[in-house]
Amino acid sequence: MAVPFLPKQISLRAISLYLASLAIVCTIFYRNIMGVDFLVMGIIWVILFFALSSRFSKIWGDIPEKKFIRKVIWTALTLRVIWVIFSYFFYFIKTGIPFEFGSSDALGYHNEAIWFLEIGWGQAFDYLSRRSLADAGYPVYLAALYHITGGNIIITRLIKVVLSTWMCVLIYKLSKRNIGEKGGRMAAIFCCLMPNLIIYCGLHLKETEMIFLTVAALERADNLLRKSKIQFIDLLTTALLAVSLFFFRTVLGAAVVFSIFTSLIFSSNVLLGRWNRVVLISWAIIAAAVMAGGSIANEAMSLWEQRGDNQTAKRDYQVYKGVKWAKYATGTVMAPMMFVLPFPTMVDVDQQYNQQIMNGGNYVRNFMGIFVLIALFSSVFLLKNWRDLSLIWAYLFSYLGIICMSGFSNSERFLLPGLPLLLVMAAYGVYLIDRNNYRWVKVWYWVTPLMVIGWAVFKLGSRGLL
């Protein structure tokens, strides 16, 4: 029996477990308690996500599609605009500038974009030609935007709001074709209300744009795979979206390309006709051959070859900085937890204020992880429809797997591009809940607080603060 909405009892249990976990952490580790503002934000984010997801997925489940899309758009826009305006002044009060805590990357992008406008595009591109491709896309995009807006920070972030809202609609279209209408609506609502996706609209980082391009590339690829007749414009659009990701993060572009290849090979003939499969695979091989000798392929290969060195260097640096237990966070240890990472930071250490702001959103990821696991188990062993979900699963396994093996396994920022597709599979897991697999959700009610409290112990213990 399918469950077409997030049950109220599950949402209430999720909220109560968060409040209980937060109370336990604050009581035991009172010397390292978070600031009141971060505590309040975490509580608001968790209540907002679970309470509204339960309500909206139920009352919006049977309304006409166009009306549903309008509601998602207006809800996503409203929440994101409120956060962008609030965070602008919040950061200004806290840091003296309208940028987040420790905003080295965000401020660097901002200043670089302004500098490009000052020196002109010719010198800017000459400068970028000597840098990694993955470092070129966002500064150029930001500079182009500043050329139009005069460098207005609020307008730049409001454009992020539009892209993030559009991404929610694309998630609905993608997930509707893969997991059905009800599951698709839940996935769109989850993305609409997901705290981390809202928070990043108020940051001057490239993640919102990357996520939009990723979802757009996967949605267009999925649409292309299901068409009875292939059109050149569809091929070109999908290719351009996929290639654009290499100018933001090489691993992300590689993961999207890999997932498209995987879907071409494994999708059933019902989904992808035999002739279309031959045409698309032939085109993909030609495209890969053209790219193989270029800087994109060289950069991707170099990154893959250095993955072990990067992970070791990251752990050694953390140990050097006093995080003694970081040496145990190897890829082998962290990779099996890829669907629930990162853990929420509920204690005040090393001035990690951005992580504290997102503690509620990271808790949501932890809690919803059980539904991703239910979806995975069901698609592989029960429904055996994993072939027709191979585009999504291949992307999640490849991208999150590489991140977990690279030394950034609990980095919220690096894991973020996997979040929208995780929410799609979480929605699918909720939809597939029945009497048999609900017992694992009950077990998860105990596992989630242990993860949250255990991470607080790790945070403090690894720094010798217990």
Side-chain angles (χ1 to χ4, degrees):
M1 187 178 80
V3 181
F5 55 86
L6 181 65
K8 186 176 180 180
Q9 59 267 35
I10 292 179
S11 66
L12 291 176
R13 182 61 64 90
I15 294 170
S16 62
L17 287 175
Y18 172 79
L19 295 175
S21 301
L22 184 62
I24 291 171
V25 169
C26 290
T27 301
I28 298 177
F29 309 115
Y30 64 92
R31 292 181 180 177
N32 298 94
I33 192 172
M34 293 189 295
V36 175
D37 44 0
F38 303 132
L39 287 169
V40 172
M41 284 183 191
I43 293 171
I44 290 174
W45 286 129
V46 170
I47 293 176
L48 180 144
F49 179 84
F50 286 108
L52 293 187
S53 289
S54 177
R55 176 173 174 77
F56 289 165
S57 61
K58 190 170 185 177
I59 65 175
W60 294 355
D62 297 315
I63 62 177
E65 182 181 60
K66 289 184 178 180
K67 186 176 181 181
F68 170 77
I69 292 175
R70 285 199 301 271
K71 285 185 176 293
V72 168
I73 289 173
W74 284 112
T75 303
L77 279 173
T78 301
L79 292 173
R80 284 156 175 77
V81 168
I82 290 173
W83 174 255
V84 163
I85 295 172
F86 167 79
S87 64
Y88 181 91
F89 294 103
F90 175 78
Y91 290 134
F92 198 90
I93 292 170
K94 291 289 186 177
T95 68
I97 53 176
F99 292 89
E100 71 275 13
F101 303 94
S103 57
S104 56
D105 285 353
L107 201 55
Y109 292 137
H110 172 71
N111 291 331
E112 195 170 46
I114 293 176
W115 180 57
F116 285 173
L117 294 180
E118 292 174 351
I119 65 175
W121 288 109
Q123 293 187 52
F125 283 119
D126 180 63
Y127 166 74
L128 289 171
S129 68
R130 299 188 292 272
R131 292 176 60 182
S132 166
L133 279 176
D135 295 327
Y138 189 63
V140 170
Y141 161 79
L142 208 55
L145 210 55
Y146 282 3
H147 181 73
I148 299 171
T149 65
N152 189 289
I153 292 174
I154 284 285
I155 293 177
T156 300
R157 293 178 184 173
L158 289 176
I159 292 174
K160 291 178 183 288
V161 166
V162 174
L163 293 177
S164 185
T165 300
W166 190 358
M167 181 274 300
C168 294
V169 177
L170 293 177
I171 280 290
Y172 167 64
K173 293 181 178 180
L174 173 65
S175 53
K176 179 179 69 170
R177 291 194 295 264
N178 283 270
I179 63 175
E181 179 68 34
K182 298 294 185 180
R185 294 194 179 200
M186 266 195 286
I189 291 169
F190 289 168
C191 286
C192 172
L193 301 172
M194 184 64 201
N196 298 42
L197 298 177
I198 297 172
I199 291 171
Y200 269 86
C201 292
L203 305 181
H204 236 61
L205 297 170
K206 60 184 178 181
E207 272 62 28
T208 297
E209 287 78 6
M210 282 197 307
I211 290 172
F212 170 76
L213 291 172
T214 299
V215 173
L218 292 173
E219 193 276 331
R220 286 294 83 195
D222 181 74
N223 179 66
L224 181 65
L225 294 174
R226 296 168 186 271
K227 281 196 170 182
S228 58
K229 185 178 180 180
I230 298 173
Q231 295 181 338
F232 176 74
I233 188 64
D234 295 324
L235 275 173
L236 182 62
T237 302
T238 303
L240 290 176
L241 287 168
V243 170
S244 70
L245 289 165
F246 287 94
F247 293 89
F248 286 81
R249 184 173 294 164
T250 306
V251 171
L252 194 55
V256 168
V257 171
F258 172 77
S259 65
I260 295 173
F261 266 95
T262 303
S263 187
L264 280 173
I265 295 169
F266 289 105
S267 294
S268 68
N269 289 330
V270 174
L271 177 64
L272 180 63
R274 182 176 298 177
W275 175 244
N276 281 359
R277 191 192 306 274
V278 171
V279 171
L280 289 173
I281 290 178
S282 300
W283 177 83
I285 291 173
I286 294 171
V290 171
M291 292 173 58
S295 56
I296 288 178
N298 293 334
E299 189 169 317
M301 183 61 69
S302 175
L303 189 65
W304 174 254
E305 291 174 348
Q306 296 174 9
R307 69 194 186 283
D309 294 337
N310 292 337
Q311 185 184 48
T312 301
K314 175 76 180 296
R315 292 202 309 270
D316 290 346
Y317 175 74
Q318 288 176 321
V319 172
Y320 169 76
K321 293 291 287 183
V323 188
K324 300 176 182 178
W325 295 353
K327 61 184 178 181
Y328 301 113
T330 64
T332 305
V333 172
M334 304 303 283
M337 297 184 285
M338 68 172 73
F339 293 144
V340 300
L341 293 172
F343 299 122
T345 296
M346 291 185 174
V347 288
D348 184 13
V349 292
D350 298 341
Q351 297 183 329
Q352 295 176 344
Y353 302 128
N354 294 320
Q355 294 186 34
Q356 293 176 45
I357 287 176
M358 297 186 192
N359 83 84
N362 289 344
Y363 169 83
V364 171
R365 293 181 66 145
N366 298 159
F367 186 88
M368 298 302 288
I370 184 59
F371 301 109
V372 179
L373 295 176
I374 288 173
L376 177 61
F377 182 85
S378 298
S379 65
V380 174
F381 297 106
L382 299 179
L383 301 175
K384 298 182 180 180
N385 62 343
W386 63 270
R387 290 165 62 92
D388 292 339
L389 297 174
S390 57
L391 181 74
I392 298 175
W393 284 127
Y395 169 73
L396 289 174
F397 273 101
S398 59
Y399 180 73
L400 296 178
I402 292 172
I403 295 300
C404 286
M405 297 297 290
S406 68
F408 296 94
S409 53
N410 200 60
S411 171
E412 190 278 336
R413 183 179 170 189
F414 280 86
L415 291 167
L416 189 72
L419 181 55
L421 280 301
L422 284 175
L423 292 174
V424 171
M425 286 308 170
Y428 192 37
V430 171
Y431 184 75
L432 295 175
I433 289 177
D434 56 29
R435 189 168 297 176
N436 291 326
N437 58 37
Y438 183 65
R439 56 179 174 166
W440 299 112
V441 179
K442 291 180 178 179
V443 172
W444 202 252
Y445 291 157
W446 294 93
V447 173
T448 303
L450 291 177
M451 289 192 295
V452 171
I453 298 168
W455 183 244
V457 172
F458 182 90
K459 279 276 191 180
L460 297 175
S462 62
R463 293 165 175 77
L465 297 176
L466 287 179

